[in-house]
Amino acid sequence: MSVPIGRPLSRRLLLLAAALALPAATGATPRRGPPDTPIPAPPPRTGPALSIRDRGAIGDGRSHPLSERYKSLEAARRVHPHVRSLDQECDWAALQGAILELSRSGQGGTVLVPPGHYRLDSEIVLPNLDRYDDAFNEVEIVGAGMRASLLSWPDDLGPGRFAIRAGSRQGKGTGDRDGYQRSRIAHLALRGPKPGNRPGDAPPGIGGVALTSRVLLERVGVFGFRAGVDVWRDHSSLISCQLTKNHIGAYWSAGTESFGDHLFLDTDLAGNTLASIAVAPGNGIDHSSFISCHFGFSPYGILAEYGAEYGAEHGAEDGPAQRTFLSNNKFLDCAFEACGNGWIQGPMAEMFGNSLIGCSGSLLPDYRLAKRPAAGLIVVRTLERNQFTGGTASFGDGTNDRAADIETAAIVAGNAVGNRFEDAERLIRLGRDGLAPALAVAGTCRANRFEAVDCSGEFRKVGTGGVDAGNLVQRDYDRVRRLEPERPADGVALTSAPAGGIVPVATAGIAPVGKTRGAIRMGAVLRPGGAASMRVDPAPGSGPPVGIATVDAPAGSDSVTVELRLELR
């Protein structure tokens, strides 16, 4: 490009000259084709890439045993050294062979699964890494999309077998179980022998993906297996995955030391025939994060297995879980939708230090297992130091939580200590409306604070005589009972409960309190009501005031709304 000498260069001419000179300066080849065609970014790789089509995969959805191509096993093994029989599928031999080739190269790489339906009849085994080996031999499997690249196992391989298994998941023995795993599976779907079965149907034996440490599943669909994903050890991640139409979506199985720290992000675990997540008695979910995940459309959202019912089947001892079922996990903006028997169920398990933030849910009898109760939304042996936050969605969306179907209470626990229920208006209203009590605690109930729209307080167990909604109450050791004369009030019962039941007791804010006399004017100072000391009236007296009436209460009404002014002990 020539520019007249002596004339100043414009900004446009400078940019154009730089653009024309760029290929020569950098040695790059000028792009050909329409000028507006974007240049696609190369896929992320850890090394060379191998297409399974180049290794002999067919991908038409039909069975193609090796005997179609090879006259003898010896001839087949010259191309696929890992095969054991001419009856094995060409698609399996190609995929497993590509994985082995890359893992043994010392560089690792990407196994590409082009669009197609690939039929497999054996496990796909990912390489097991030595954490102290300098060779970078990680292998990833990448398809063309969840709807484009399908790997299917139409025949059940049986219990203890998986569609894709990490190398350290050899089963019994300790040799390979201490290995180090790192891999990625992305943009494809796995289909097992029984997709679309219904609650109560017998599940297949084969599992989906058997994870161990540091495996990433990204936009992977897993359907029709006993468990979509079987979780061991630590630091694996599932991002935008779909684990549906299995018996269990994700399973923390027995026989592992699970160190937790897993991440489930934008993952759909709804529509499985037993549970979205299940945990074996010898395992637990620790320090993991579930963000914008979808549980439900199954009998259970999260289930802790226990007892003889699961012991013989999973090799676990009968009886309660051997470790904390849910410990220090975060559930953020998750939906426990249309669960048949409950959201979180572990009657013999412990739930400690978890946070449920912005979570919602509902019950739906269509997904209920016969002869199993819907005792509550959350049923555990021990509920300790958990936090429930997120507005009225925390315990039902108010339209389809089916509170009338709850047999015991919204939350059922053997012991409940130190839990926080923030924005718990809906939880309290379940009991106030007579649909279901908020809590049922058989043993210790202590320091369970709640925050509602107008008031705050504590869930407490009721002592002798029971209480009615609107009663002033006093402490009786670790329980509450109706206020006695000449005693300071400790709170106001927001619901009714017999002895041994649990009531939310408001200690601050505005709450409806029962009254003993006629009309009460707004602004009146209210004290315990004489002979009926568990109620209030505006008569002057020596007792400490309970609070100030915030509205007029006409004669004949049975309560008055009071801004509480309690002398708490």
Side-chain angles (χ1 to χ4, degrees):
M1 177 179 179
S2 62
V3 180
I5 298 176
R7 295 185 61 182
L9 295 178
S10 68
R11 175 181 174 85
R12 182 176 181 184
L13 287 174
L14 283 172
L15 292 175
L16 180 58
L20 291 173
L22 183 60
T26 61
T29 302
R31 183 180 62 185
R32 297 180 180 179
D36 294 331
T37 302
I39 301 175
R45 295 174 182 169
T46 60
L50 290 178
S51 170
I52 62 172
R53 288 288 179 89
D54 295 337
R55 292 300 181 269
I58 300 170
D60 63 0
R62 296 192 292 269
S63 175
H64 295 282
L66 291 167
S67 59
E68 289 185 359
R69 290 182 174 175
Y70 305 100
K71 293 182 179 181
S72 67
L73 180 59
E74 181 182 1
R77 296 191 70 173
R78 282 196 289 268
V79 181
H80 304 293
H82 54 286
V83 303
R84 302 177 304 277
S85 167
L86 290 178
D87 294 332
Q88 291 181 288
E89 292 287 343
C90 290
D91 288 347
W92 172 83
L95 177 53
Q96 185 64 69
I99 292 171
L100 292 173
E101 182 176 342
L102 289 175
S103 66
R104 292 167 181 170
S105 69
Q107 300 178 35
T110 302
V111 175
L112 299 177
V113 182
H117 178 183
Y118 301 90
R119 181 178 176 126
L120 300 98
D121 60 347
S122 298
E123 290 182 311
I124 296 297
V125 181
L126 295 169
N128 190 29
L129 310 181
D130 184 340
R131 70 173 69 227
Y132 305 110
D133 189 355
D134 292 335
F136 191 75
N137 58 351
E138 300 167 11
V139 176
E140 61 181 18
I141 305 173
V142 179
M146 197 184 297
R147 293 180 178 271
S149 299
L150 173 64
L151 307 178
S152 70
W153 284 258
D155 298 322
D156 193 345
L157 302 184
R161 306 288 298 281
F162 298 94
I164 300 179
R165 171 171 60 81
S168 56
R169 295 290 300 267
Q170 296 289 353
K172 296 182 179 179
T174 59
D176 286 335
R177 290 168 64 178
D178 295 330
Y180 184 68
Q181 197 75 38
R182 177 178 287 169
S183 189
R184 173 174 174 255
I185 305 171
H187 306 295
L188 50 79
L190 283 64
R191 188 170 71 193
K194 293 190 69 174
N197 50 328
R198 298 168 299 178
D201 289 352
I206 181 176
V209 181
L211 300 179
T212 181
S213 298
R214 302 182 186 277
V215 178
L216 169 62
L217 269 62
E218 185 177 357
R219 295 187 179 275
V220 173
V222 189
F223 319 100
F225 295 94
R226 182 175 190 84
V229 169
D230 192 284
V231 182
W232 274 26
R233 297 181 72 84
D234 61 289
H235 289 93
S236 285
S237 299
L238 281 77
I239 299 176
S240 298
C241 292
Q242 206 172 357
L243 312 179
T244 66
K245 298 183 179 179
N246 304 286
H247 185 57
I248 297 167
Y251 185 40
W252 271 251
S253 59
T256 178
E257 294 179 357
S258 178
F259 306 122
D261 298 303
H262 299 290
L263 170 64
F264 282 61
L265 173 62
D266 187 30
T267 290
D268 184 3
L269 299 111
N272 296 287
T273 62
L274 178 63
S276 297
I277 290 177
V279 181
N283 209 338
I285 306 178
D286 306 323
H287 296 276
S288 295
S289 298
F290 300 84
I291 303 173
S292 297
C293 292
H294 189 195
F295 307 97
F297 287 93
S298 58
Y300 301 102
I302 304 177
L303 172 68
E305 297 179 342
Y306 70 97
E309 180 179 358
Y310 301 100
E313 186 176 359
H314 298 286
E317 295 182 4
D318 294 349
Q322 288 108 44
R323 56 180 290 187
T324 303
F325 155 51
L326 292 174
S327 174
N328 296 292
N329 301 289
K330 301 290 186 294
F331 296 87
L332 175 61
D333 192 27
C334 293
F336 294 83
E337 186 177 4
C339 298
N341 298 80
W343 301 357
I344 298 176
Q345 295 286 306
M348 301 297 290
E350 298 180 357
M351 185 175 171
F352 178 88
N354 303 279
S355 296
L356 281 79
I357 303 172
C359 296
S360 62
S362 58
L363 291 176
L364 193 62
D366 293 350
Y367 297 94
R368 186 167 300 165
L369 288 177
K371 300 181 181 179
R372 294 200 187 183
L377 303 177
I378 298 175
V379 181
V380 292
R381 181 179 64 183
T382 301
L383 188 74
E384 184 173 354
R385 299 185 183 277
N386 299 280
Q387 179 178 340
F388 302 86
T389 305
T392 56
S394 293
F395 286 88
D397 57 14
T399 59
N400 191 29
D401 53 21
R402 304 287 300 190
D405 293 333
I406 296 174
E407 297 185 10
T408 305
I411 300 177
V412 183
N415 298 288
V417 177
N419 300 285
R420 296 291 181 269
F421 303 89
E422 300 181 14
D423 303 317
E425 183 72 16
R426 179 62 186 164
L427 179 61
I428 293 172
R429 195 160 65 85
L430 291 176
R432 189 185 305 164
D433 290 349
L435 299 175
L439 272 71
V441 182
T444 302
C445 180
R446 184 175 68 250
N448 296 296
R449 298 287 303 174
F450 72 83
E451 296 284 341
V453 173
D454 296 321
C455 62
S456 62
E458 232 178 68
F459 288 102
R460 298 179 188 167
K461 183 170 282 193
V462 178
T464 304
V467 298
D468 295 322
N471 281 171
L472 296 176
V473 296
Q474 67 184 57
R475 281 192 181 274
D476 182 13
Y477 296 99
D478 61 342
R479 303 194 175 203
V480 294
R481 61 182 178 184
R482 295 178 180 179
L483 184 67
E484 297 177 345
E486 308 300 327
R487 297 288 299 273
D490 194 55
V492 178
L494 297 180
T495 63
S496 301
I502 305 294
V503 295
V505 176
T507 57
I510 298 173
V513 183
K515 67 186 185 70
T516 57
R517 299 200 174 187
I520 293 177
R521 300 297 302 272
M522 180 177 65
V525 176
L526 304 178
R527 290 180 170 80
S533 59
M534 78 289 298
R535 295 178 176 268
V536 295
D537 64 37
S542 58
V546 171
I548 299 172
T550 61
V551 294
D552 292 339
S557 67
D558 58 1
S559 65
V560 57
T561 303
V562 176
E563 184 175 353
L564 301 175
R565 296 286 191 272
L566 299 170
E567 293 186 1
L568 301 180
R569 293 179 296 164

